[in-house]
Amino acid sequence: MDTQARALLAVDALKQEYPDALCSLEYTDPLQLLIATRLAAQCTDARVNLVTPALFERFPTLDAFCGGTEEEIGELIHSCGFFRAKARDILGACRKIRDDFGGQVPDNMEDLLSLPGVGRKTANLLLGDIFHKPAVVTDTHCIRISGRLGLTAHKAPEKVERDLRALLPPQESNDFCHRLVLHGRAVCIARKALCEKCCMKDFCQKVGVE
């Protein structure tokens, strides 16, 4: 079986196992997703979802964030870790969106990457979930499981993204990555994969190895 065929089998298997391919971060608009994703770095989505209600109540709009301070934002996101850097990036990104993009979160990779604290992972998440463009979000689950499946030999996020873009149907790529997160939490665990329970065990390249 070649890699392309294995990728398509993985798409189908995960679609059956996790029909609702949803981002686990809670948000109501593009700006909130951008901010929540920045907070999720080195932090669980569950923790972020506990923090963001108070944050978004205090700063309900872009202008509200722009009028805030790093200290105010930092106090509300303290439990997410690295709060000083995250507060600086959130404030900087909001002000750049206001000043350079007419108050609208950009809808393309180049402009998104120009925002403080936004890397390809965050940009791809926004492009896929908000703007419904083909996207590959290479978080730790995506990298780990794609490697175990034999879809990539790389660990670097950009190289994994490149490999998956070449294999996945564009219309499936964003949901595929969301499903990898769900599968990585439930079955294909980093420390010890539960291969006997895996919907992809018949074609995974790592079954019985790890």
Side-chain angles (χ1 to χ4, degrees):
M1 181 185 301
D2 64 20
T3 308
Q4 181 80 66
R6 196 179 307 115
L8 295 177
L9 284 174
V11 168
D12 289 340
L14 290 170
K15 188 181 294 187
Q16 292 183 41
E17 193 77 4
Y18 310 98
D20 298 322
L22 300 174
C23 176
S24 57
L25 292 169
E26 297 173 359
Y27 64 95
T28 60
D29 58 46
L31 180 65
Q32 288 191 359
L33 179 57
L34 186 154
I35 290 169
T37 307
R38 179 65 186 96
L39 293 177
Q42 280 76 51
C43 182
T44 66
D45 289 357
R47 165 56 58 184
V48 173
N49 289 338
L50 291 174
V51 166
T52 50
L55 178 67
F56 296 148
E57 182 178 7
R58 170 63 183 84
F59 301 105
T61 64
L62 177 70
D63 285 341
F65 269 109
C66 290
T69 66
E70 292 181 24
E71 291 73 23
E72 287 179 291
I73 296 170
E75 287 179 4
L76 290 166
I77 66 171
H78 190 279
S79 64
C80 288
F82 303 98
F83 68 95
R84 291 187 180 87
K86 292 178 180 180
R88 182 183 65 244
D89 288 342
I90 289 168
L91 186 58
C94 287
R95 289 177 175 172
K96 188 172 179 66
I97 290 169
R98 179 195 62 189
D99 297 340
D100 295 354
F101 299 110
Q104 300 297 315
V105 174
D107 64 355
N108 64 85
M109 179 67 74
E110 182 180 0
D111 287 343
L112 284 168
L113 292 178
S114 74
L115 300 175
V118 174
R120 293 190 68 85
K121 174 184 171 183
T122 299
N124 270 303
L125 184 61
L126 284 158
L127 291 174
D129 279 30
I130 298 297
F131 301 110
H132 309 296
K133 297 181 178 182
V136 176
V137 180
T138 51
D139 74 337
T140 56
H141 297 292
C142 176
I143 294 169
R144 179 178 72 255
I145 300 173
S146 295
R148 288 174 172 175
L149 287 169
L151 304 184
T152 183
H154 298 107
K155 300 290 187 183
E158 286 194 38
K159 292 182 178 180
V160 175
E161 178 187 337
R162 180 198 63 199
D163 290 345
L164 292 181
R165 283 187 183 276
L167 294 170
L168 298 171
Q171 71 275 14
E172 298 284 357
S173 60
N174 191 56
D175 286 347
F176 179 78
C177 293
H178 282 319
R179 292 180 174 117
L180 287 183
V181 173
L182 298 173
H183 194 63
R185 289 172 178 165
V187 178
C188 198
I189 301 164
R191 188 182 298 271
K192 177 63 176 178
L194 306 177
C195 296
E196 69 281 0
K197 298 181 179 181
C198 183
C199 60
M200 300 183 286
K201 62 184 178 183
D202 291 341
F203 54 87
C204 179
Q205 299 297 285
K206 290 296 186 180
V207 170
V209 176
E210 297 187 13

